[in-house]
Amino acid sequence: MSSRELIDPESLPALDAMLAAVPGGLHAIPDIVQRRATSRAVRVRPEVPADARVDKEDRTVPGPEGEPDITVRVYRPKGATGPLPGVYVIHGGGMIMGDVEGEDPTATWLCDALPAVVVSVEYRLAPEHPYPAGPEDCYAGLVWTAAHADELGLDADRLAVYGGSAGGGLAIATALLARDRGGAAIRFLMPLYPMLDDRNETPSSHAVTDVGAWDRSVNVEAWAWYLGGREADGYAAPARAEDLSGLPPTYIDVGTVDLFLDEDVDFAQRLVAAGVPTELHVLPGSYHASEKVAPDAALSRRFWALRLDALRRALA
């Protein structure tokens, strides 16, 4: 049976419309610069409430030692008083695409709905900047966020790290770096359908080849560009991390028609075995990032409701 036959019927038309707009999908565009430009031109912006009252500011902050400064976008609810919980957001894009602007709808929604101070980080992308540029930039932005909590009006003891897909893998890598380097304290970790394993050996990584959202061929390509010929370690590919103890309480969700299904479920089980409080949701019929491609589907609304509930409980 084709993977496409397993997709939630309500979430399929939006995917087909996206593939009609970009025949073959974004991954059929071989030039990465053109692929990024096309992605920016066609991306949807689903989650922002029409009446969101959010102030936004781009800041330039120190990057990793000896490396360029990085940009973060800071979101704060208008008129908010007192320290708020914080959410540090890492965008997706397979380590090769994506930016703060593309994650703006989600960051705005989180800021408005929780409410919280949100800091979204712009990290360097492969293949121009292979590993370890991405996680090091993300970690530097987290350290800056925690160090400037008072200035930002956030409670450093209530700080979550949030990211989807590549951003989910980078969220876990950032948490591992914070644990191992004694950096910023993280209250909660929310990696959504995270990209974790460069080996591409699981059954789901072999099964998802014809969906058109994020299939095996582009995943293999993205890992090769991201690693740049280096051997992956546990920070590059968190599925390889041997010790998961000491990570913050974690929420993971993933769909059954996502090639990351098996590696994400396995990672969640390893977190539980390591003593990390872990919440896992596997949603039937969901393809990779379907809640963004088909935001009006009931399945998509369930994704967002589960996440918001988990964040509110964790950051209360």
Side-chain angles (χ1 to χ4, degrees), residues 14 29 87 165 232 234 247 270 274 298 303:
I29 303 172
V87 182
S165 191
L247 287 176
R270 290 184 57 213
F303 263 115

Side-chain angles (χ1 to χ4, degrees), residues 19-260:
L19 294 174
V22 185
L26 290 169
H27 323 308
I29 303 172
D31 180 75
I32 188 60
V33 175
Q34 183 182 355
R35 193 185 304 182
R36 290 169 185 157
T38 304
S39 175
R40 289 192 291 270
V42 302
R43 62 191 172 197
V44 294
R45 303 176 65 86
E47 308 99 57
V48 178
D51 60 346
R53 293 178 49 79
V54 174
D55 290 319
K56 308 176 188 181
E57 178 190 9
D58 286 351
R59 303 277 295 269
T60 300
V61 307
E65 186 175 357
E67 299 293 340
D69 290 344
I70 57 177
T71 297
V72 297
R73 182 169 294 178
V74 180
Y75 302 75
R76 185 171 176 81
K78 291 181 183 292
T81 59
L84 296 172
V87 182
Y88 184 72
V89 171
I90 304 174
H91 70 76
M95 319 286 187
I96 59 176
M97 297 191 301
D99 51 30
V100 164
E101 184 61 31
E103 205 67 13
D104 186 77
T106 298
T108 302
W109 174 76
L110 288 169
C111 177
D112 184 70
L114 282 169
V117 174
V118 175
V119 178
S120 182
V121 62
E122 187 87 51
Y123 57 88
R124 290 170 291 172
L125 300 174
E128 298 92 336
H129 303 284
Y131 176 76
E136 290 291 351
D137 285 357
C138 293
Y139 177 71
L142 177 69
V143 169
W144 178 87
T145 299
H148 291 78
D150 290 344
E151 173 193 345
L152 298 172
L154 69 86
D155 181 352
D157 292 327
R158 292 189 293 155
L159 179 60
V161 177
Y162 173 109
S165 191
L170 287 167
I172 297 170
T174 301
L176 288 167
L177 289 169
R179 180 198 67 181
D180 296 344
R181 296 177 180 177
I186 301 172
R187 167 77 73 89
F188 192 60
L189 184 59
M190 184 171 274
L192 312 171
Y193 38 80
M195 179 179 177
L196 301 176
D197 197 342
D198 64 297
R199 293 165 290 195
N200 294 287
E201 294 174 348
T202 67
S204 64
S205 75
H206 283 278
V208 179
T209 60
D210 61 347
V211 170
W214 186 265
D215 294 343
R216 178 177 178 83
S217 60
V218 70
N219 196 55
V220 171
E221 174 190 62
W223 275 112
W225 280 350
Y226 175 58
L227 293 174
R230 297 184 58 164
E231 184 72 23
D233 59 17
Y235 302 122
R240 292 181 177 267
E242 295 182 1
D243 179 14
L244 302 182
S245 63
L247 287 176
T250 299
Y251 170 105
I252 296 174
D253 64 35
V254 64
T256 56
V257 199
D258 192 320
L259 84 167
F260 296 147

